């Protein structure tokens, strides 16, 4: 069965009920009944220790109050959701996704197929399914870092979710992304051909600033910039990454974006491109495979966020006896010490997966396991996907937290994620904006 069809069938099973619920809840203008959630254990996203036997009162789309179950005042007529045997958490945030990518199999043509063969409507439908899959897994917010050749498609998907046409997480979108000539795919074709690119290409500070203006004008919440592109194994066995923009070009983008009150996410592996990314004032470093001590010191000084996307680099390695395969192995082997150094130094690490680069049929929560494996305490990994991500997104206190006044984005899992982080991969309850999207019996 083609993947697209399989995804759709799987999703329908889970979603029949919630979709109906969503339609019903849109209709009445009468005051909404309060909802009460009984939480056996509550990890609120901010506190360092969990609470036990709590009652959360949800009113409309936000959280009204949280109190100990003993002595809690449950409003008359409230609907009670019993999660007394579960661990309740804030809706999770994945700060590095691509809903317009589907983990394209290299054997089936890989990245190229999406751009040269897929009709835009097909890509949009698949993006909608990807968004729904994220929500099913408890990710109530995504920062989606570019559409990979699908133009402003993310603006449409975001609107479809916000208007309730399709279920999905809150989206922070970055539209087309920006890179320089020679700095993005498609590439490797006859030079006589003008090939479409997976990002907007700009050269020089004037074009770079204009690209940022266009994207901001059309609805980008973040600007995504590629500061490195190709990578290979260097003469001395080191990872070399090709830099793209100069500091001058990047500064034009950052200056423009900051003027709009928005932020810049920079894809950068290491070396010259990473140094320019930091000198040019990027707000977040994406991947950061090869962080040296100077980069870490500069990130600390500038308050730069680090979205390492560890899991993605353990996928789809080429054969070990090819240059590409050796490069793939080297990337993973430098990533681990970079992450560990950043963690030890206190760099602000935020959860991001690069889903889309990874197939959406795979569990998003696998990134938590990698982070824990590389020494991050489980509670820290949870905060990297909740309150810390919310701060990066300028949504402090509104998302990533179970707290009075926050949006009612609430999930639950069986078991204790602080004891076994893998439990975050089996979400049984998902509420977004006060609406129940998923409620498994057990
Ligand atoms: Zn990415």
């Amino acid at each position: 069965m083609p993947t697209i069809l399989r995804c759709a069938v799987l999703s329908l099973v889970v979603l029949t009920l919630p979709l109906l619920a969503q339609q019903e809840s849109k209709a009445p203008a009468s005051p909404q009944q309060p909802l009460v959630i009984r939480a056996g254990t509550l990890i609120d996203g901010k506190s360092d220790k969990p609470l036990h036997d709590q009652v959360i009162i949800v009113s409309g789309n936000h959280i009204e109050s949280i109190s100990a179950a003993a002595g809690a005042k449950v409003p008359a007529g409230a609907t009670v959701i019993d999660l007394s045997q579960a661990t309740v958490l804030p809706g999770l945030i994945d700060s590095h996704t691509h809903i317009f990518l589907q983990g394209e199999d290299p054997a089936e043509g890989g990245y190229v197929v999406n751009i040269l063969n897929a009709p835009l409507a097909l890509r949009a439908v698949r993006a909608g399914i990807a968004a729904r899959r994220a929500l099913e897994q408890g990710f109530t917010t995504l920062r989606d870092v570019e559409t990979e050749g699908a133009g402003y498609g993310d603006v449409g998907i975001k609107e479809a979710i916000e208007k309730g046409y399709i279920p999905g997480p809150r989206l922070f979108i970055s539209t087309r992304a920006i890179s320089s000539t020679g700095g993005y795919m498609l590439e490797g074709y006859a030079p006589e051909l003008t090939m479409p690119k997976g990002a907007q290409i700009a050269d020089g500070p004037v074009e770079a600033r204009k690209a940022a203006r266009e994207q901001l004008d059309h609805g980008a919440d973040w600007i995504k910039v590629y500061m490195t592109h190709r990578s290979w194994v260097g003469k001395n066995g080191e990872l070399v990454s090709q830099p793209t923009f100069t500091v001058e070009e990047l500064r034009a983008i950052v200056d423009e974006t900051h003027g709009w009150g928005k932020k810049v996410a920079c894809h950068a592996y290491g070396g010259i491109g990473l140094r320019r990314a930091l000198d040019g004032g990027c707000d977040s470093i994406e991947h950061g495979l090869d962080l040296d001590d100077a980069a870490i010191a500069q990130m600390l000084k500038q308050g730069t966020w680090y979205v390492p996307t560890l899991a993605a680099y353990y996928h789809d390695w080429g054969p070990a006896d090819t240059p590409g395969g050796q490069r793939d192995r080297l990337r993973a082997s430098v990533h681990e010490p970079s992450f560990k150094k950043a963690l030890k130094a206190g760099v602000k690490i935020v959860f991001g997966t690069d889903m889309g680069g990874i197939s959406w049929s795979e569990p998003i929560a696998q990134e938590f396991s990698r982070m824990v494996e590389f020494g991050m305490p489980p509670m820290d990994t949870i905060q990297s996907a909740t309150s810390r991500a919310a701060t990066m997104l300028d949504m402090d206190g509104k998302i990533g937290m179970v707290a009075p006044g926050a949006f009612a984005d609430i999930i639950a899992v069986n078991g204790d994620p602080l004891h076994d982080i893998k439990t975050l991969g089996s979400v049984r309850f998902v509420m977004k904006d006060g609406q129940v999207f998923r409620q498994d019996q057990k």
Side-chain angles (χ1 to χ4, degrees):
M1 195 187 280
T3 316
I4 176 78
L5 212 57
R6 200 165 56 226
C7 285
V9 171
L10 274 176
S11 303
L12 273 178
V13 177
V14 184
L15 291 170
T16 310
L17 197 152
L19 274 173
L20 283 173
Q22 192 186 38
Q23 276 164 14
E24 279 165 20
S25 65
K26 272 178 78 183
S30 60
Q32 273 179 291
Q33 274 193 333
L35 258 167
V36 172
I37 297 172
R38 291 197 58 127
T41 301
L42 172 65
I43 294 174
D44 69 9
K46 190 83 177 175
S47 314
D48 287 332
K49 290 217 157 54
L51 296 164
H52 297 282
D53 297 319
Q54 299 291 300
V55 165
I56 304 160
I57 298 179
V58 173
S59 173
N61 67 352
H62 70 278
I63 296 166
E64 188 80 32
S65 66
I66 298 138
S67 54
K73 289 198 186 86
V74 174
T79 305
V80 178
I81 296 168
D82 184 10
L83 296 170
S84 58
Q85 302 303 312
T87 301
V88 172
L89 303 107
L92 301 170
I93 302 169
D94 186 340
S95 291
H96 189 122
T97 64
H98 301 278
I99 56 173
F100 278 88
L101 282 185
Q102 309 300 331
E104 281 70 18
D105 186 348
E108 291 171 19
Y111 185 83
V112 175
V113 172
N114 241 341
I115 294 195
L116 292 186
N117 301 90
L120 195 52
L122 173 62
R123 295 196 68 186
V125 168
R126 298 189 79 184
I129 293 169
R132 193 164 68 186
R133 291 190 72 82
L135 190 57
E136 282 168 15
Q137 293 173 66
F139 285 82
T140 52
T141 300
L142 305 180
R143 186 184 60 158
D144 199 69
V145 281
E146 87 126 320
T147 61
E148 306 285 358
Y152 293 96
D154 52 356
V155 177
I157 299 290
K158 180 181 171 181
E159 187 175 335
I161 293 169
E162 285 180 353
K163 291 191 170 163
Y165 296 121
I166 58 169
R170 291 168 204 290
L171 293 185
F172 289 81
I173 55 170
S174 50
T175 72
R176 300 178 62 191
I178 312 173
S179 193
S180 59
T181 293
Y184 215 67
M185 301 155 294
L186 302 179
E187 57 200 5
Y189 292 84
E192 294 76 18
L193 295 176
T194 304
M195 300 305 290
K197 298 288 179 182
Q200 185 168 2
I201 301 299
D203 294 293
V206 173
E207 278 186 25
R209 185 181 288 272
K210 189 174 181 195
R213 281 182 182 156
E214 281 175 12
Q215 296 183 8
L216 291 160
D217 185 29
H218 291 311
D221 300 308
W222 277 69
I223 292 296
K224 166 81 178 288
V225 178
Y226 286 90
M227 287 304 294
T228 61
H229 179 44
R230 297 164 218 229
S231 61
W232 58 90
V233 181
K235 286 195 283 287
N236 304 309
E238 78 283 20
L239 183 72
V240 184
S241 303
Q242 166 216 344
T244 57
F245 287 121
T246 62
V247 173
E248 202 188 11
E249 288 169 318
L250 175 61
R251 279 205 179 122
I253 295 172
V254 170
D255 181 61
E256 184 66 28
T257 307
H258 286 178
W260 288 59
K262 306 270 169 82
K263 291 181 182 165
V264 180
C266 290
H267 168 117
Y269 279 4
I272 299 167
L274 174 67
R275 207 156 54 235
R276 291 181 187 168
L278 293 169
D279 288 346
C282 291
D283 297 290
S284 72
I285 295 296
E286 308 300 307
H287 317 302
L289 303 192
D290 199 2
L291 303 178
D292 56 19
D293 292 344
I296 287 175
Q298 197 171 353
M299 289 171 82
L300 284 171
K301 185 162 160 247
Q302 296 177 191
T304 314
W305 305 91
Y306 176 33
V307 187
T309 69
L310 298 168
Y313 291 91
Y314 290 82
H315 278 260
D316 299 329
W317 285 353
D321 55 354
T322 62
Q326 284 158 9
R327 186 262 332 260
D328 293 344
R329 282 159 183 78
L330 180 59
R331 282 175 175 177
S333 71
V334 298
H335 209 171
E336 180 178 342
S338 293
F339 177 83
K340 287 179 171 170
K341 272 193 292 184
L343 179 66
K344 194 165 170 228
V347 173
K348 297 183 291 186
I349 297 174
V350 172
F351 180 99
T353 56
D354 223 349
M355 290 306 291
I358 303 170
S359 167
W360 285 96
S361 59
E362 291 211 26
I364 305 176
Q366 62 184 296
E367 181 74 11
F368 286 115
S369 300
R370 285 285 175 202
M371 293 168 113
V372 169
E373 184 191 330
F374 292 167
M376 197 170 190
M379 186 62 105
D380 200 1
T381 68
I382 291 170
Q383 290 177 357
S384 81
T386 54
S387 58
R388 193 174 307 130
T391 304
M392 182 179 79
L393 295 169
D394 291 325
M395 292 289 281
D396 212 4
K398 295 186 186 133
I399 59 172
M401 227 187 271
V402 178
F407 287 115
D409 293 359
I410 297 169
I411 66 163
V413 298
N414 289 325
D416 176 7
L418 300 179
H419 179 68
D420 179 9
I421 200 70
K422 287 194 180 68
T423 58
L424 290 175
S426 47
V427 167
R428 59 173 279 191
F429 173 82
V430 179
M431 168 185 279
K432 184 194 149 210
D433 264 333
Q435 292 195 8
V436 177
F437 172 75
R438 174 175 193 161
Q439 192 169 9
D440 301 357
Q441 288 312 307
K442 282 192 175 167

